[in-house]
């Protein structure tokens, strides 16, 4: 969560709000000042408080026009009704709300089936507040598994398998985690919080994510795992999970290092099973130990719900699971959070019941079709170059051609004037020279809306072209990690 600091020095206000908000007593609202730093002594009628807060929230952007976020911004009225009915249920109270717990169990099993778990009866999994918590849990399991290994000193990559005469390592080195520089920031947080060395593979040229060769080159006997991303937030591309696994298989043959893979499928794990069924990225690959996804992204649920599943009980060390006697029931838990509403889990199960495989396929295909249509339309305008097309995740990135007189930050600002929230940001270290715009197509963003965005982009181009030759300011760069 974002950390906030207290602010001082706000001017004293004596003027109030709209007098009509207070109904029978206009003078009450006329003298009311919204609290900023401390509670008022008196109370307000609920309708008055609702209207006052609504007024301030009008300053937020329109969520449906937010093309920066991966998070679901539209659900059916029936889903909203179900969530309202479940918002008062504490997800952790399994004994008091046994059917909500049962829906969570069913969701875990459904995902394990989607991701080809070899033995559905042996999987371990749970819901989380989102992919960030799920990644933290998966990282903890990787580190604990590594700490229990009976490692030997083997002389580094390519040094051959450990021999019988080599000494056992009584003091293992610092654990490390190999991943691309395009990982979501939660992985860097995990490494900082749990004292793991992050071995980030930088971008290079036109390579914007992790590759098998780059991953293996950074592994050693203290590598707790490799993180492969099924759907990079920077450009929507899949990382080559099967190639990474094959390279790690070869590495184990040479060195004896059994390095597991975690697939961060925050977005792609709810796209690939339906649109790319022949792509091998999941538990069909024996080295894949765990997978996470965000139910509130392409799982089509409002925030916040995520999921993490381990291929079998051996992949989740038992000492990390706590059996808690809580409110009359004994339950196993593995979480960073405790109390949270059951509404999102109920909504996830609703989407599974409502859509089925064919419904999910239709929804995700529609998003991919809109993304490809929109990227093609933007490419045809002339001033822009595509990095990706939206044919993996329904997400694509594009930049301005070197010969135009405006940059992506100018474009983002002009589109915002029309209500479109299209992020502009620079890529990480080694490619900070590359600044792009990224568009995330989600369910509810239709062909009609895409055409309206194209029309607005065409409309601002003449104004942008008048900027010709103005120096570009790198200080305007922003970063998005949604």
């Amino acid at each position: 969560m974002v950390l906030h600091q207290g602010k001082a020095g706000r001017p004293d206000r004596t003027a109030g709000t709209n007098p009509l908000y207070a109904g029978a007593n206009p003078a009450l609202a006329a003298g009311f000042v919204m609290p900023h730093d401390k509670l008022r002594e008196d109370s307000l009628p609920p309708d008055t408080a609702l209207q006052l807060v609504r007024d301030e929230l009008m300053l937020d952007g329109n969520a449906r026009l937010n093309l920066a976020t991966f998070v679901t911004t539209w659900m059916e009225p029936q889903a909203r009704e179900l969530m309202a009915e479940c918002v008062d249920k504490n997800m952790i109270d399994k004994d008091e709300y046994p059917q909500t717990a049962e829906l969570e169990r069913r969701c875990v099993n459904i995902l394990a089936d989607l991701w080809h778990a070899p033995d559905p009866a042996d999987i371990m999994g749970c819901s989380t507040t989102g992919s960030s918590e799920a990644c933290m849990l998966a990282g903890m399991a990787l580190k604990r598994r590594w700490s229990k290994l009976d490692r030997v000193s083997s002389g580094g990559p390519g040094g051959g398998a450990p021999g019988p005469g080599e000494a056992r390592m009584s003091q293992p080195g610092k654990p490390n985690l190999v991943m691309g520089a395009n990982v979501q920031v939660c992985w860097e947080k995990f490494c900082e919080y749990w004292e793991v060395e992050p071995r980030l593979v930088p971008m290079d040229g036109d390579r914007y994510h992790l590759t098998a060769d780059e991953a293996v080159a950074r592994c050693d006997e203290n590598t707790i795992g490799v993180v492969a991303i099924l759907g990079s937030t920077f450009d929507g591309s899949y990382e080559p999970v099967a190639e990474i696994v094959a390279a790690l298989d070869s590495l184990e043959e040479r060195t004896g290092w059994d390095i597991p893979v975690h697939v961060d499928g925050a977005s792609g794990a709810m796209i690939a099973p339906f649109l790319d069924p022949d792509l091998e990225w999941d538990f069909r690959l024996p080295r894949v130990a765990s997978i996470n996804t965000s139910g509130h992204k392409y799982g089509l649920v409002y925030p916040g719900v995520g999921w993490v599943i381990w291929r079998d009980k051996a992949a989740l060390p038992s000492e990390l699971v706590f059996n808690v006697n809580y409110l009359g029931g004994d339950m196993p838990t593995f979480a960073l959070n405790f109390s949270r509403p059951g509404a999102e889990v109920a909504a996830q199960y609703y989407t599974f019941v409502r859509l089925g495989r064919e419904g999910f396929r239709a929804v995700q295909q529609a998003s991919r079709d809109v993304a490809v249509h929109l990227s093609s339309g933007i490419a045809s305008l002339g001033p822009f170059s595509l990095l990706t097309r939206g044919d993996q995740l329904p997400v694509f990135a594009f930049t301005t051609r070197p010969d135009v007189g405006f940059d992506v930050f100018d474009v983002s600002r002009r589109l915002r004037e029309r209500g479109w929230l299209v992020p502009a940001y620079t890529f990480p270290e080694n490619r900070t020279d590359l600044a792009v715009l990224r568009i995330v197509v989600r369910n509810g963003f239709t062909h009609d809306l895409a055409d309206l965005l194209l029309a607005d982009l065409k409309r601002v181009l003449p104004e942008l072209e008048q900027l010709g030759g103005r120096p570009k300011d790198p200080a305007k760069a922003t970063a998005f990690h949604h």
Side-chain angles (χ1 to χ4, degrees):
M1 299 297 290
V2 175
L3 294 175
H4 298 278
Q5 291 183 318
K7 294 183 179 179
R10 289 192 181 92
D12 292 333
R13 294 184 177 92
T14 55
T17 186
N18 187 335
L20 297 182
Y21 284 173
N25 185 9
L28 173 64
F32 181 82
V33 179
M34 293 289 280
H36 284 229
D37 302 307
K38 58 184 179 181
L39 289 175
R40 292 173 55 89
E41 295 298 327
D42 52 354
S43 303
L44 285 181
D47 288 342
T48 303
L50 174 63
Q51 188 60 54
L52 289 170
V53 176
R54 274 181 174 165
D55 281 357
E56 296 215 356
L57 288 173
M58 288 192 299
L59 295 172
D60 278 346
N62 184 328
R64 293 287 298 280
L65 300 182
N66 182 1
L67 303 183
T69 183
F70 285 77
V71 173
T72 296
T73 55
W74 183 84
M75 290 188 77
E76 293 171 312
Q78 293 87 344
R80 297 170 67 104
E81 181 179 347
L82 179 64
M83 293 183 75
E85 292 172 2
C86 296
V87 73
D88 59 346
K89 297 181 180 181
N90 189 351
M91 191 66 228
I92 206 66
D93 295 351
K94 311 295 186 185
D95 197 56
E96 276 64 33
Y97 308 116
Q99 201 58 31
T100 302
E102 168 63 12
L103 299 191
E104 180 186 32
R105 187 196 65 80
R106 293 178 190 178
C107 288
V108 166
N109 287 351
I110 288 169
L111 290 170
D113 177 69
L114 274 179
W115 299 339
H116 299 94
D119 182 359
D122 198 35
I123 61 103
M124 299 289 283
C126 62
S127 67
T128 64
T129 55
S131 272
S132 292
E133 183 188 6
C135 291
M136 296 281 180
L137 298 179
M140 290 167 63
L142 290 175
K143 184 179 179 184
R144 182 56 60 93
R145 173 191 176 276
W146 166 86
S147 71
K148 296 170 68 176
L149 290 177
D150 190 18
R151 286 177 301 280
V152 298
S153 177
S154 60
E166 293 179 296
R168 298 288 169 184
M169 296 175 61
S170 59
Q171 294 295 329
K174 183 175 181 179
N176 65 77
L177 184 65
V178 175
M179 50 196 169
N182 56 313
V183 291
Q184 214 271 354
V185 69
C186 68
W187 285 107
E188 297 181 57
K189 288 182 178 180
F190 164 76
C191 290
E192 182 65 28
Y193 295 166
W194 274 272
E195 298 182 324
V196 173
E197 176 195 350
R199 292 191 175 175
L200 297 172
V201 176
M203 295 181 179
D204 184 34
D206 293 334
R207 178 178 57 73
Y208 303 126
H209 60 216
L210 187 65
T211 61
D213 290 344
E214 294 291 339
V216 167
R218 288 162 176 79
C219 290
D220 60 26
E221 68 271 18
N222 293 314
T223 300
I224 66 173
V226 173
V227 176
I229 306 174
L230 199 71
S232 172
T233 59
F234 280 89
D235 61 3
S237 62
Y238 293 163
E239 290 187 336
V241 181
E243 293 177 17
I244 292 169
V245 165
L248 290 170
D249 289 343
S250 297
L251 180 66
E252 183 178 7
E253 292 176 3
R254 299 194 307 271
T255 66
W257 303 335
D258 180 13
I259 299 173
V261 170
H262 172 80
V263 178
D264 185 345
S267 295
M270 293 303 294
I271 295 287
F274 306 107
L275 302 188
D276 309 295
D278 295 329
L279 180 68
E280 292 195 346
W281 61 273
D282 53 16
F283 291 129
R284 285 172 287 186
L285 303 170
R287 192 169 294 275
V288 172
S290 50
I291 302 171
N292 72 276
T293 197
S294 292
H296 59 230
K297 292 181 180 174
Y298 288 102
L300 308 178
V301 176
Y302 285 137
V305 61
W307 302 91
V308 58
I309 295 178
W310 289 268
R311 70 178 300 114
D312 51 37
K313 293 179 176 66
L316 176 58
S318 58
E319 62 268 27
L320 294 178
V321 179
F322 283 79
N323 286 288
V324 181
N325 188 304
Y326 185 66
L327 295 181
D330 187 71
M331 60 177 184
T333 68
F334 183 35
L336 299 180
N337 293 281
F338 204 64
S339 295
R340 56 189 172 90
E344 288 81 1
V345 168
Q348 183 73 83
Y349 188 65
Y350 167 88
T351 64
F352 289 156
V353 172
R354 167 80 171 90
L355 294 176
R357 280 183 179 266
E358 182 54 31
F360 262 100
R361 190 208 62 78
V363 169
Q364 312 299 36
Q365 186 65 57
S367 294
R368 182 179 281 181
D369 290 346
V370 171
V372 172
H373 166 73
L374 185 54
S375 66
S376 299
I378 289 172
S380 69
L381 294 178
F384 304 107
S385 298
L386 296 179
L387 275 69
T388 47
R389 300 177 54 248
D391 55 351
Q392 293 184 330
L393 288 189
V395 175
F396 64 94
F398 61 102
T399 188
T400 50
R401 295 185 181 276
D403 56 337
V404 301
F406 55 89
D407 60 23
V408 295
F409 304 102
D410 298 319
V411 178
S412 179
R413 185 170 61 252
R414 293 302 193 280
L415 289 176
R416 192 178 184 96
E417 292 172 359
R418 284 282 293 168
W420 301 104
L421 305 179
V422 181
Y425 56 95
T426 56
F427 271 30
E429 185 180 358
N430 274 29
R431 285 312 318 264
T432 53
D433 59 304
L434 178 60
V436 303
L437 293 148
R438 187 196 68 201
I439 289 179
V440 179
V441 175
R442 304 178 306 280
N443 180 42
F445 188 77
T446 63
H447 277 276
D448 286 340
L449 285 172
D451 288 339
L452 288 171
L453 174 58
L454 277 172
D456 281 338
L457 191 52
K458 290 178 184 177
R459 189 177 296 116
V460 301
L461 283 180
E463 178 187 352
L464 290 169
E465 288 164 355
Q466 293 176 5
L467 300 174
R470 180 174 56 77
K472 299 178 181 180
D473 181 8
K476 293 184 295 185
T478 59
F480 285 76
H481 297 280
H482 297 279

